[in-house]
Amino acid sequence: MDTTYDVKFWKTSVYEGRKKTTYTVRWELEGKEWRKPFGTVALADSFRAGLVSAARKGEAFSLSTGLPVSHLSRAAGVTWYDFAIQFVDQLWERTSGNNRKTVAKALTPVTIALLRSQPTAFKGVDVRRALREYAFNTLRRDQAPPEVAVILRWVQRNSLAMAAWEDESTVETALRAAGTKLDGTPVAASSARRTKRVLNVLFEYAIKKKVLKENPLPKGKGTTAAKTSSAVDKRSLLNKEQASKLLSWIYARPRGGQRLHTFFATMYYAGARPEEVVAIDVGDVRLPDADAYDQWGELLLHTAHPEVGKQWTNTGEVREERGLKGRAADDTRTVPCRPGLTRFLRAHIEKEGLKPGDLLMQGEKGGDLAGSVIRRAWRRARKEVLTSYEFGTPLGRRVYDLRHTCLTNWLNAGVPAATVAEWAGNSVPVLLATYARCIDGQLDDLKHRIEQAGELSDSAASGA
């Protein structure tokens, strides 16, 4: 904890307003002025006397709060930087790689905001990288290169105490920093909400450890949060002709085209998430015999391989093995495999010589299909197939839009929302909130049903 004995006291200032008079105690620590207002002269004099008494006893004053050490809570005894690291470490073993990365991203701008002075000796991007990739990464912190270690030591020395969160202006500054990119532009609303969620969990931990008495984040009607929408942009959905051209172009790629075609076709026809598709085991692909009349099959999903970066996983692999999103551990989900997809998967399994226990989608050298390869192929297909106007629109801009298109097609085909939600691995409320704007093609049938309910008699309609 940084303290000083360089203390000066000024005369209490008096402000006489129209409704009340305010008495403000003023003092100075190493040239920085501190103020605390009171509603009565007695309270102001009592507080000032306590400060003066502490100074006369030779007591140190905190540079973070301006108060004598004896007046401070436990929050003054630990810096934000050290507590944030403690929070990361206790969370590490029980969270996924994605969550670890989210926590590090959330804590980085807040940590920079809670410095006594900004790091003019280092580039802003280097400080952010040092915090995000090393300080808030339990496995890599001790492996930081020398130039990164220098930055982190400087941050540790200049970090404010946790007591800084007891000051409303500090809270506002930190939240403003968390909502701003390095270039000064605002972060996405979803990112701001994720950061606030992380901070709420951190402050719950601080309260549990008796470092803070209460959560300092603002609550209630006076707070404003950036609005986010989970609804799918209709412009991102592909029609049948567009999807067919894109998948055909990918199939014709000389290097890995047929393998990637199977990946994209599975997303388009089965609506699975990318991390679920790459994790499909051949043994979980239930296909009918080639000469069977009914060519509908099914896919049994039970594992996901999200791509989070090797620095965030326990194994050092780019992807980690997880259960299905929003499901209990070891839960499964069955998705229908339409005849068109059945043909693609049967041909792919035969051509690759795959057997149960093998991954259905593999990279060129085996193992998981790399996300960078998937995204690069999709970007190239859009550029080659779509018109220049279409390429500049949200049409199929993300690989995930294939899933959105599939789920929308199911809903528009009249499949009940509860069934689509089960196939997709969503709850019904989430499904409807996400795709309600995209449901189309059923208006005429709905109008007919409304008419069938009957009309008022002519006399009732005319008011006679």
Side-chain angles (χ1 to χ4, degrees), residues 26-102:
R26 301 180 300 152
W27 70 104
E28 184 182 288
L29 301 180
E30 291 190 354
K32 179 182 177 181
E33 181 184 352
W34 292 84
R35 292 169 168 258
K36 189 168 181 64
F38 293 91
T40 67
V41 66
L43 289 174
D45 287 346
S46 176
F47 179 77
R48 187 178 188 278
L51 299 183
V52 173
S53 175
R56 287 175 177 170
K57 291 177 182 178
E59 192 172 332
F61 280 62
S62 168
L63 291 170
S64 298
T65 65
L67 298 175
V69 173
S70 61
H71 289 208
L72 301 180
S73 63
R74 291 184 62 179
V78 59
T79 67
W80 159 260
Y81 177 80
D82 289 337
F83 187 82
I85 284 179
Q86 178 186 337
F87 171 71
V88 168
D89 289 349
Q90 62 85 31
L91 207 62
W92 188 269
E93 288 301 325
R94 51 195 178 89
T95 55
S96 67
N98 255 332
N99 190 65
R100 295 168 181 173
K101 183 163 64 173
T102 297

Side-chain angles (χ1 to χ4, degrees), residues 10-14 23-26 41 44-45 48:
W10 296 346
K11 183 179 178 181
T12 299
S13 65
V14 181
Y23 303 87
T24 302
V25 178
R26 301 180 300 152
V41 66
D45 287 346
R48 187 178 188 278

Side-chain angles (χ1 to χ4, degrees), residues 210-224:
K210 295 182 170 52
V211 173
L212 291 177
K213 294 181 179 178
E214 60 183 5
N215 188 331
L217 295 184
K219 304 175 183 67
K221 296 182 178 180
T223 62
T224 57

Side-chain angles (χ1 to χ4, degrees), residues 30-266:
E30 291 190 354
K32 179 182 177 181
E33 181 184 352
W34 292 84
R35 292 169 168 258
K36 189 168 181 64
F38 293 91
T40 67
V41 66
L43 289 174
D45 287 346
S46 176
F47 179 77
R48 187 178 188 278
L51 299 183
V52 173
S53 175
R56 287 175 177 170
K57 291 177 182 178
E59 192 172 332
F61 280 62
S62 168
L63 291 170
S64 298
T65 65
L67 298 175
V69 173
S70 61
H71 289 208
L72 301 180
S73 63
R74 291 184 62 179
V78 59
T79 67
W80 159 260
Y81 177 80
D82 289 337
F83 187 82
I85 284 179
Q86 178 186 337
F87 171 71
V88 168
D89 289 349
Q90 62 85 31
L91 207 62
W92 188 269
E93 288 301 325
R94 51 195 178 89
T95 55
S96 67
N98 255 332
N99 190 65
R100 295 168 181 173
K101 183 163 64 173
T102 297
V103 169
K105 285 183 176 180
L107 298 182
T108 293
V110 176
T111 301
I112 295 174
L114 294 178
L115 293 172
R116 287 192 189 83
S117 61
Q118 290 306 295
T120 55
F122 312 107
K123 292 182 180 178
V125 66
D126 292 337
V127 177
R128 289 202 176 207
R129 177 176 175 271
L131 291 169
R132 184 182 64 249
E133 301 293 331
Y134 291 95
F136 300 134
N137 186 309
T138 301
L139 297 182
R140 301 183 77 201
R141 190 179 306 125
D142 294 336
Q143 303 170 8
E147 63 275 13
V148 172
V150 169
I151 294 174
L152 296 183
R153 284 195 296 271
W154 184 92
V155 171
Q156 186 175 34
R157 288 195 306 271
N158 287 275
S159 178
L160 294 175
M162 284 291 288
W165 287 103
E166 296 170 356
D167 180 9
E168 290 185 5
S169 63
T170 300
V171 175
E172 292 174 2
T173 299
L175 292 181
R176 190 160 50 248
T180 307
K181 297 180 183 177
L182 191 57
D183 61 5
T185 59
V187 301
S190 56
S191 296
R193 287 182 179 274
R194 278 196 296 270
T195 297
K196 192 169 182 181
R197 282 199 297 269
V198 170
L199 290 177
N200 272 314
V201 175
L202 182 146
F203 290 133
E204 288 174 8
Y205 178 69
I207 294 169
K208 178 181 177 181
K209 292 295 180 179
K210 295 182 170 52
V211 173
L212 291 177
K213 294 181 179 178
E214 60 183 5
N215 188 331
L217 295 184
K219 304 175 183 67
K221 296 182 178 180
T223 62
T224 57
K227 295 188 180 300
T228 58
S229 174
S230 59
V232 169
D233 187 343
K234 246 180 140 172
R235 298 172 300 169
S236 67
L237 303 178
L238 299 157
N239 62 37
K240 185 170 64 176
E241 290 73 21
Q242 292 163 340
S244 178
K245 289 179 180 178
L246 286 165
L247 266 63
S248 296
W249 187 91
I250 289 170
Y251 186 86
R253 277 170 55 103
R255 183 175 177 180
Q258 296 181 25
R259 187 181 301 111
L260 286 166
H261 173 269
T262 305
F263 171 86
F264 292 122
T266 303

